[in-house]
Structures are given as C-alpha cells and as structure tokens.
C-alpha cells in the first residue's frame, strides 16, 4: 500500500505540525481537513477510539482519500480519568492557560495527593475503500504543581513524563515526538504502514 496523500481530520495546528514532522521521511503530503476543504467532524464518541474512527471514516467517505483521525487527551488519576475524551472541551475557548488553572484547582479540591496522569492517543487510518486500522500510544507521568515551559501546546506546561524532571513544554518537538503518546502511536503506524515506502 502506497500512501501519497493523507488528510488529517484535525484543525489543531500544533498537532498537524507534529504529524508533518513525524511523517517527513515517508514522502507523503499531509493536509489538514481545512486545507482539503473538508468539514470538522464532531467528536460524539465515548472513547478515544470511537472519536478517531468517526473522524477518519467520515472524511474518507467524503474525500475518497486516505484519512487519519486522531483523538487524544489527558487522563488524571485523582479526577477519575478526567478530562480524558473531553480534554479539548474542558478548556474554555481553547484558552489553555485558564484550562490548566482549572485542572490544578480541581486537583487541589479533590484532596488527593496522587498526581499521576497519562496522555493517550488513538490513531485511525481509513483507506479510500473504507477499511480502518487503529494504533494506540500512551505516556505516563505526573501533573506538576505549577505551569512551566513555553514549548508544545495544550497541557504540556503541566505534564512531567516519567523518567524526566521537566514538563513537555521544555522538550524540543523532536524530543517530545520520541516518547509522547502521539509519537508512540505514530511509531506503531509507521512500522505497520509507512516503513515500506521510506
Ligand atoms: P483532540 O485530540 O483534538 O480532541 O484534543 C485533545 C486535547 O487533549 C487537546 O486539546 C489538549 O487539551 C489535550 N492534548 C492532547 N495531546 C496533547 C499533547 O501532546 N500535549 C498537551 N495537550 C494535549
């Protein structure tokens, strides 16, 4: 299977940039849904996989192209796994600064000293004939007591991955891609699909 063009079912420019970098060696043109003139698909599923599939399968049907759906989020133990699939909607008006304060507040109110959390990412790759393959990645870590660093996006300034003493917002994009949930899901997809077209 040779994929020359891949439409990513997302409008998040931070994510698209990371995806372009990870697929750079594989000679595949990566387009956002917006660049391909396709609509945004609402995330109405109850799990990361349902949402990822919903996005890739809807856009593949509309475009007849290979489409990639991705759903990801931050699951915080002391909040019972929230915000989880609702991570994007947890943040008022995509204002992550406020979203991170809200998270720290909720964690404080929980009264728990458990700061463990993980990022999860599910990728769904749908081919023009409607068949979908799913790849998952996860990175465990803790939520820092305060925001730190100015790289990355979303909750990066609060998330310290296990084995490190700095938040994702202090990582270069290349360093983050090596160990992140999205990076790990991509490594699985690349090994299964793209390695043969390098
Ligand atoms: P979606 O996958 O576009 O539905 O959004 C996932 C949401 O989870 C983002 O808006 C962020 O709030 C959060 N998120 C997912 N991946 C990351 C990451 O790598 N860093 C920081 N936040 C993330």
């Amino acid at each position: 299977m040779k994929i020359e063009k891949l439409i990513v079912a997302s409008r998040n420019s931070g994510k698209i940039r990371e995806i372009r970098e990870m697929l750079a060696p594989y000679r595949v043109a990566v387009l956002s849904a917006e660049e391909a003139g396709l609509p945004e698909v609402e995330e109405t599923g109850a799990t990361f996989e349902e949402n990822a599939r919903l996005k890739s399968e809807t856009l593949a049907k509309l475009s007849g192209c290979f489409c990639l759906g991705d759903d990801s989020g931050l699951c915080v133990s002391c909040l019972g796994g929230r915000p989880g699939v609702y991570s994007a909607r947890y943040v008022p008006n995509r204002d992550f600064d406020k979203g991170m304060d809200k998270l720290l507040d909720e964690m404080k109110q929980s009264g728990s000293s458990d700061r463990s959390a993980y990022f999860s990412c599910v990728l769904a790759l749908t081919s023009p004939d409607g068949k979908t393959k799913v790849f998952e990645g996860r990175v465990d870590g803790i939520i820092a007591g305060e925001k730190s660093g100015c790289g990355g996006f979303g909750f990066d300034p609060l998330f310290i991955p296990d084995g490190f003493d700095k938040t994702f917002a202090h990582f270069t994009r290349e360093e983050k891609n090596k160990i992140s949930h999205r990076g790990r899901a991509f490594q699985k997809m690349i090994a299964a699909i793209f390695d043969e077209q390098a």
Side-chain angles (χ1 to χ4, degrees), residues 25-37:
Y26 302 97
R27 286 169 293 151
V28 49
V30 176
L31 269 74
S32 69
E34 198 168 21
E35 286 162 340

Side-chain angles (χ1 to χ4, degrees), residues 8-21:
V8 181
S10 171
R11 289 178 179 244
N12 178 331
S13 55
K15 248 194 222 174
I16 305 274
R17 194 175 47 226
E18 286 187 4
I19 293 173
R20 270 204 184 110
E21 282 169 8

Side-chain angles (χ1 to χ4, degrees), residues 5 7 38 58-67 126-129:
K5 183 168 103 175
I7 298 173
L38 292 165
T58 305
L59 293 196
K61 211 177 263 175
L62 286 172
S63 66
C65 295
F66 282 96
C67 288
T126 304
S127 48
D129 65 6

